[in-house]
Amino acid sequence: MDAVIDSISLEAGRPWPLGAHWDGRGVNFALFSAHAEAVDLCILEGRQMRVLPLRECSDQVWHGYLGGAVPGLRYAYRVHGPNAPELGHRFDGQRLLLDPYAREVAGRFSWAAPDDPVHCLTAAVVDEAFDWGGDAPPATDWADTVLYEAHVKGVSRQHPGVPEVLRGTYAGLAAPAMIEHFRQLGVTAVSLLPVHYFLDEQRLVNEGRVNYWGYNSLAFFAPAPRYAAQIGGQSVISEFKTMVRSLHAAGLEVILDVVFNHTAETDEWGPTLSFRGIDNRSYYRLPAGYLAGYENFSGCGNTLNLAHPRVLQLVMDALRYWVEVMHVDGFRFDLAAALTRDSAFLAALRQDPLLQRVKLIAEPWDIGPDGYRLGGFLPGWSEWNDRFRDDVRAFWLSGEAGV
């Protein structure tokens, strides 16, 4: 890819909100990095890349405004700083990095050429406008809630009543035949396995397989494009919103399984795609005596550091985005204990005027110290209860548990 240092300088812009936001006349870019020495905004146009240094930094947020920029613009960042793993820093000023606040992910990552800028993952500026048509959350009481846990691809893949071109997609999940199926089952909410943009692990790719379940998130604001039919040029985001609107119209809530405990960058041998290259020491929990490694409370190589205010902000901003902009009705938090250790996560959720009204479900454990926290979440939370599950299973299937 041919890089050109552009003679056009960015306007100062604002340090908030984080991410890339179009205001009708241009785009404001804002990226948090506490330890960076310099940040470049890289605009990708085919094989050309315009490099625009972000010269403004306010409260550890690097920012700039590009007048005339419009939705669809592809961008990434290059973040400069020390490459000193022993100090917790893994900067590489030549590597293109995905914006943690990316709403849409473009490009395709290749394990065969992980450092190839032509195949790097980039963000795309989006237009959030959508006609919700009076959409309102069903707001089903917990006492009346019946969850149907579903995989976006799998749930409609073989349904004969769903048009073949829509099977396995967001559009297919909300097709009339699927909605009638949900009604016949008597469920009130569809609880979707992870839909955040995720990667297939290298081990699976080498074996010719994919990560079917999706618990390997990289972009917490972006719906996975692999589940989009994109009929008639509809964007991934619009298709997701249309799905939510259709399910709501049928009285069905939409719950998302979210994976904020780790990212797809895995351990110290994993790829540098976003967080690690932007500010490794802030985004991840690092062992006090070995800053070149990672705390692995998730079992997936790393653990997000929600004890850092900006990382906690990232998670809270993502949750608000999915409720306010995408209209989802609640969340099931994978390995939720990893989010609460030494952080203000529970308190932040408790006081948030938007999030305190949605359904919150904890998987109340992880593999870290004091990781089994069943019954330990605040009022307003529900929890997956493995003891209840095991006893009910034993009662019905083996008779080993009595009434």
Side-chain angles (χ1 to χ4, degrees):
M1 182 170 292
D2 302 319
V4 177
I5 304 298
D6 207 299
S7 59
I8 301 173
S9 61
L10 295 168
E11 298 175 41
R14 304 177 306 190
W16 52 269
L18 292 169
H21 294 270
W22 179 60
D23 62 7
R25 67 175 191 87
V27 177
N28 192 81
F29 297 90
L31 178 76
F32 159 74
S33 179
H35 298 100
E37 296 172 353
V39 175
D40 296 327
L41 170 66
C42 301
I43 306 300
L44 291 94
E45 301 164 333
R47 293 190 60 86
Q48 294 289 323
M49 182 173 70
R50 298 167 57 199
V51 180
L52 303 171
L54 292 177
R55 305 189 187 281
E56 304 292 330
C57 184
S58 308
D59 190 21
Q60 301 178 336
V61 175
W62 301 77
H63 55 94
Y65 184 88
L66 183 59
V70 298
L73 178 143
R74 288 180 58 204
Y75 72 97
Y77 291 106
R78 294 196 310 196
V79 183
H80 305 264
N83 182 15
E86 71 280 4
L87 300 177
H89 301 309
R90 294 179 177 269
F91 293 102
D92 179 351
Q94 296 306 306
R95 188 180 295 272
L96 293 175
L97 302 168
L98 182 67
D99 184 356
Y101 279 73
R103 267 44 170 183
E104 180 180 316
V105 179
R108 183 180 294 274
F109 173 73
S110 170
W111 282 106
D115 300 323
D116 184 356
V118 175
H119 298 106
C120 72
L121 296 175
T122 62
V125 176
V126 302
D127 180 1
E128 302 286 7
F130 182 78
D131 181 8
W132 282 100
D135 176 71
T140 307
D141 289 341
W142 259 123
D144 300 321
T145 296
V146 181
L147 296 176
Y148 183 97
E149 191 174 45
H151 186 283
V152 173
K153 181 178 181 179
V155 72
S156 68
R157 192 64 180 167
Q158 299 189 59
H159 196 302
V162 177
E164 190 168 354
V165 70
L166 299 183
R167 294 177 192 173
T169 69
Y170 302 118
L173 190 145
M178 286 304 306
I179 289 177
E180 179 58 27
H181 175 63
F182 298 142
R183 281 176 168 161
Q184 290 180 2
L185 290 175
V187 302
T188 67
V190 181
S191 182
L192 300 179
L193 272 66
V195 300
H196 289 163
Y197 185 95
F198 64 93
L199 291 186
D200 302 314
E201 292 89 335
Q202 185 174 21
R203 172 181 60 84
L204 296 177
V205 173
N206 291 343
E207 296 171 355
R209 299 190 293 160
V210 299
N211 182 326
Y212 179 78
W213 301 109
Y215 291 88
N216 199 36
S217 302
L218 182 66
F220 298 121
F221 293 77
R226 66 178 75 189
Y227 299 144
Q230 295 185 273
I231 301 299
Q234 187 179 37
S235 72
V236 178
I237 294 174
S238 291
E239 184 174 331
F240 187 94
K241 290 177 177 178
T242 302
M243 175 196 74
V244 172
R245 185 181 62 191
S246 299
L247 292 171
H248 280 181
L252 294 164
E253 292 184 310
V254 179
I255 310 294
L256 298 188
D257 194 337
V258 289
V259 187
F260 292 116
N261 52 75
H262 76 282
T263 81
E265 290 184 310
T266 67
D267 59 17
E268 55 266 44
W269 308 109
T272 297
L273 304 170
S274 180
F275 310 94
R276 175 177 288 145
I278 292 170
D279 193 342
N280 183 68
R281 188 158 178 167
S282 294
Y283 276 111
Y284 293 114
R285 295 183 65 113
L286 311 180
Y290 182 56
L291 298 181
Y294 295 88
E295 297 283 14
N296 187 18
F297 302 151
S298 65
C300 299
N302 64 54
T303 306
L304 270 180
N305 181 23
L306 269 73
H308 192 291
R310 288 293 189 180
V311 185
L312 176 61
Q313 179 188 355
L314 169 77
V315 173
M316 295 297 294
D317 286 349
L319 294 174
R320 279 189 290 267
Y321 175 78
W322 285 97
V323 173
E324 185 174 20
V325 178
M326 306 294 267
H327 285 207
V328 306
D329 304 285
F331 306 95
R332 178 265 189 191
F333 294 86
D334 184 67
L335 299 182
L339 314 182
T340 66
R341 193 175 284 104
D342 306 322
S343 84
F345 175 65
L346 292 179
L349 271 177
R350 181 75 169 169
Q351 61 77 46
D352 190 279
L354 180 65
L355 298 176
Q356 63 180 251
R357 66 171 175 80
V358 304
K359 287 183 167 68
L360 304 172
I361 307 168
E363 182 183 37
W365 50 73
D366 68 5
I367 63 172
D370 189 29
Y372 189 78
R373 301 189 179 184
L374 180 65
F377 283 74
L378 296 172
W381 281 80
S382 293
E383 301 177 24
W384 270 195
N385 187 332
D386 62 323
R387 293 179 182 176
F388 178 80
R389 176 201 63 204
D390 292 348
D391 285 349
V392 170
R393 178 184 294 150
F395 175 80
W396 285 108
L397 298 184
S398 67
E400 296 175 1
V403 173

